[in-house]
């Protein structure tokens, strides 16, 4: 694509954007003069779809009018509510419906998955994560190691080479070649939260499986952003939250994926509750536990309907717009963003995210040499909402659902003045 560095060109791109109307389906926060914020933190908390309130209102109304009968008589009977989310969620991550369920929150799901899939022995017990893993994932695997009587030193870090920021898959191959016999599990962020690097998940699965290691993927920064094709990738499990690119509200529930190859394995150790017990006999309270097949077999509790209503609102919108169309716009939008940043004449700015659009989602991580957090504050003063990571990186995610080419143009114009 041949981009031009002008506001007119940005306006033309917006006019030609087949998804330009979708922005109007979201609340965009505004400054005191009524001007839209330039919101680039959909990677942290996605904006609110205007329909979300109606979806939640429906459930509040049915609760008011029906009380407990809402489980069966509500417009969307609560008993089956999580099932209404499954097909659309499965499409977003490229999975079969039986491989996906929405439940709990992300870190909780990672732990429940590790109960089943991190089964260390005396000889094969180590865990591999990426060195820049999100802190919650690191704490989670460290605590699993300790829970099983191992030490934090049994965590192996896949790190970028000296002087580099991005991960090189050949280095993972080396780790697995040399230490694979001692490694029980890999848990890797499909899209790294810090650099925005989108890793080759299928290849990671192949590398891990070559030495019989379980492969799990955290898709917190992937779901709704890139197309991970989870089923085809062959990874054993995955989990992701829905409040980032999936616009389902602060602290909303998370997704969980268990590959079909494990769907019928009732011998996998796991925790149990009434919600992973056979649906047919769930209310016959005296039955021995009979676990369900597929991802639903990891649920424990009856889920919070109000949070699921917000997820349903968002997933219905994803279904309407489609991941293919979003991804197509996303590559253009982030490409334009990258082009404009590279046009700033300074050696202070460097993008650490991969240049290849296939190796990134929408986020660009921009390193500004000799900057400190005051730069982030100055951007905030212009109502440009970005995310600052010490020591000197601004993370910026133009989200194809609601960000425009003009957002990107205006943001870079102000950044240029500030540096
Ligand atoms: C956002 C994020 C989390 C957050 O975990 P919660 O359990 O939802 O609080 C965890 N891991 C990664 C990689 C994330 O990006």
């Amino acid at each position: 694509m041949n981009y031009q560095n002008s506001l007119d060109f940005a306006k033309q791109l917006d006019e030609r954007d087949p998804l330009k109307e979708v922005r109007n389906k979201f609340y965009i926060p505004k400054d005191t003069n009524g001007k839209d914020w330039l919101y680039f933190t959909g990677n942290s908390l996605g904006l609110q779809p205007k329909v979300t309130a109606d979806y939640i209102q429906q459930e509040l109304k049915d609760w008011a009018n029906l009380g407990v009968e809402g489980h069966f008589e509500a417009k969307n009977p609560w008993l089956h509510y999580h099932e209404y989310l499954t097909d659309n969620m499965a499409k977003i991550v490229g999975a079969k419906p039986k491989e996906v369920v929405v439940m709990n929150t992300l870190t909780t799901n990672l732990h429940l998955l590790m109960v089943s899939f991190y089964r260390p022995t005396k000889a094969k017990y180590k865990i591999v994560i990426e060195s820049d893993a999100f802190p919650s994932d690191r704490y989670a695997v460290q605590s699993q190691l300790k829970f099983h009587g191992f030490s934090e030193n049994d965590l192996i870090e896949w790190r970028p080479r000296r002087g580099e920021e991005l991960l090189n898959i050949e280095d993972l191959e080396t780790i697995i070649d040399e230490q694979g016999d001692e490694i029980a599990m890999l848990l890797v962020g499909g899209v790294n939260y810090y650099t925005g690097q989108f890793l080759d998940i299928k290849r990671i699965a192949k590398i891990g499986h070559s030495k019989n290691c379980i492969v799990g993927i955290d898709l917190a920064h992937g779901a709704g952003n890139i197309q991970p094709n989870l089923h085809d990738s062959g990874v054993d499990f995955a989990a992701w939250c829905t409040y980032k690119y999936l616009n389902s509200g602060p602290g909303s529930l998370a997704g969980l994926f268990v590959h079909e190859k494990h769907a019928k394995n009732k011998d996998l150790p796991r925790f149990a509750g009434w919600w992973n017990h056979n649906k047919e006999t769930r209310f016959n309270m005296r039955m021995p536990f009979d676990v369900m097949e597929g991802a639903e077999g990891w649920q424990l509790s009856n889920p919070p309907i109000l949070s699921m209503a917000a997820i349903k609102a968002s997933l219905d919108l994803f279904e309407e717009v489609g991941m293919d169309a979003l991804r197509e716009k996303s590559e253009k939008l982030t490409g334009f963003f990258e082009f404009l940043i590279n046009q700033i004449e300074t050696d202070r700015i460097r993008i650490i995210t991969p240049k290849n659009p296939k190796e990134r989602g929408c986020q660009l991580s921009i390193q500004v040499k000799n900057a400190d957090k005051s730069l982030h504050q100055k951007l905030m003063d212009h109502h440009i909402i970005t995310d600052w990571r010490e020591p000197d990186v601004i993370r910026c995610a133009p989200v194809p659902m609601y960000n425009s080419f003009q957002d990107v143009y205006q943001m870079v114009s102000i950044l240029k003045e500030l540096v």
Side-chain angles (χ1 to χ4, degrees):
M1 178 116 197
N2 279 325
Y3 296 111
Q4 293 167 27
N5 185 354
S6 75
L7 181 59
D8 270 351
F9 185 73
K11 282 183 180 162
Q12 273 178 37
L13 289 176
D14 279 330
E15 271 155 35
R16 278 192 254 132
D17 172 13
L19 304 188
K20 64 176 178 239
E21 302 296 339
V22 182
R23 177 182 174 93
N24 300 326
K25 294 177 187 280
F26 285 83
Y27 291 111
I28 314 280
K30 293 184 194 322
D31 67 20
T32 44
N33 300 321
K35 193 169 163 284
D36 288 349
W37 284 2
L38 298 171
Y39 192 82
F40 288 100
T41 43
N43 57 337
S44 184
L45 183 70
L47 292 179
Q48 184 184 144
K50 290 178 181 166
V51 293
T52 300
D54 296 340
Y55 279 64
I56 294 177
Q57 205 54 49
Q58 176 69 48
E59 304 316 322
L60 287 173
K61 210 170 73 190
D62 287 342
W63 177 26
N65 293 332
L66 297 164
V68 72
E69 292 305 310
H71 285 294
F72 306 96
E73 303 298 332
K75 180 169 176 243
N76 309 300
W78 303 328
L79 186 59
H80 308 289
Y81 208 99
H82 74 271
E83 296 169 26
Y84 313 145
L85 312 178
T86 302
D87 286 2
N88 288 345
M89 187 63 101
K91 272 193 213 167
I92 288 170
V93 294
K96 297 189 175 182
K98 77 183 316 188
E99 295 174 316
V100 169
V101 71
V102 173
M103 63 180 222
N104 305 320
T105 44
L106 170 54
T107 309
T108 309
N109 284 351
L110 290 175
H111 277 298
L112 291 175
L113 286 161
M114 286 192 276
V115 165
S116 299
F117 292 106
Y118 176 54
R119 305 297 303 163
T121 63
K122 274 210 172 79
K124 199 169 170 66
Y125 55 93
K126 293 185 179 174
I127 299 179
V128 177
I129 60 168
E130 75 273 35
S131 57
D132 252 327
F134 193 87
S136 197
D137 298 43
R138 174 183 296 269
Y139 303 150
V141 293
Q142 283 172 337
S143 67
Q144 284 283 336
L145 281 164
K146 283 202 217 156
F147 178 73
H148 287 279
F150 300 100
S151 114
E152 286 178 9
N153 300 331
D154 298 319
L155 191 60
I156 299 174
E157 291 188 7
W158 172 20
R159 41 177 73 255
R161 295 177 186 181
R162 193 183 292 272
E164 297 180 8
E165 281 88 15
L166 301 176
L167 294 166
N168 189 319
I169 197 132
E170 286 159 19
D171 298 338
L172 181 67
E173 267 167 349
T174 307
I175 292 172
I176 300 298
D177 275 350
E178 292 175 354
Q179 303 176 74
D181 293 335
E182 295 180 348
I183 294 169
M185 183 184 78
L186 284 60
L187 180 66
V188 178
V191 175
N192 184 271
Y193 85 99
Y194 179 66
T195 63
Q197 181 177 18
F198 173 24
L199 294 163
D200 185 341
I201 294 171
K202 191 170 183 173
R203 197 156 155 207
I204 292 173
K206 211 169 152 205
I207 294 168
H209 291 158
S210 72
K211 288 277 179 89
N212 292 321
C213 311
I214 286 284
V215 177
I217 298 290
D218 184 321
L219 277 178
H221 284 264
N225 178 24
I226 46 81
Q227 293 172 288
N229 296 322
L230 278 180
H231 174 79
D232 181 57
S233 76
V235 299
D236 297 283
F237 70 82
W240 56 94
C241 50
T242 64
Y243 49 80
K244 291 172 180 165
Y245 294 106
L246 294 178
N247 309 324
S248 300
S252 195
L253 302 179
L256 169 139
F257 164 92
V258 175
H259 197 277
E260 189 179 33
K261 64 193 163 193
H262 302 297
K264 290 184 198 292
N265 185 355
K266 297 192 175 185
D267 297 331
L268 276 172
R270 68 180 97 197
F271 291 161
W274 68 331
W275 234 250
N276 53 351
H277 174 90
N278 184 351
K279 281 177 203 171
E280 309 302 322
T281 58
R282 182 176 291 151
F283 294 98
N284 180 343
M285 302 295 198
R286 292 188 175 79
M287 293 291 286
F289 180 66
D290 174 17
V291 72
M292 266 189 284
E293 282 181 13
E296 288 186 330
W298 272 266
Q299 301 171 103
L300 298 178
S301 298
N302 87 99
I305 300 302
L306 299 182
S307 175
M308 285 200 161
I311 301 177
K312 187 168 189 306
S314 171
L315 295 186
D316 286 354
L317 196 52
F318 268 86
E319 175 62 11
E320 191 185 315
V321 178
M323 269 317 294
D324 288 342
L326 282 167
R327 193 60 195 137
E328 197 181 319
K329 173 174 173 185
S330 182
E331 288 191 12
K332 271 190 205 145
L333 190 62
T334 295
F336 186 49
F337 190 26
E338 178 184 45
F339 166 81
L340 294 174
I341 290 168
N342 288 336
Q343 292 258 307
I344 303 177
E345 283 175 27
T346 170
D347 51 13
R348 283 184 65 200
I349 291 192
R350 193 170 65 96
I351 299 170
I352 61 179
T353 307
K355 291 187 171 63
N356 180 352
K358 308 287 170 227
E359 292 174 23
R360 67 185 184 200
C362 68
Q363 174 187 328
L364 292 183
S365 302
I366 307 162
Q367 188 180 44
V368 187
K369 271 180 224 148
N370 309 321
D372 57 36
K373 205 171 174 193
S374 67
L375 174 63
H376 177 250
Q377 188 53 49
K378 284 179 197 147
L379 288 167
M380 288 287 275
D381 294 344
H382 286 86
H383 301 290
I384 299 176
I385 316 302
T386 60
D387 178 277
W388 177 261
R389 287 287 141 164
E390 294 294 342
D392 55 6
V393 169
I394 308 169
R395 297 187 308 159
C396 264
V399 172
M401 271 278 196
Y402 47 73
N403 280 120
S404 66
F405 291 88
Q406 287 171 78
D407 282 350
V408 163
Y409 183 83
Q410 288 171 18
M411 187 279 178
V412 180
S413 308
I414 294 167
L415 180 66
K416 186 174 159 183
E417 275 170 41
L418 293 178
V419 299

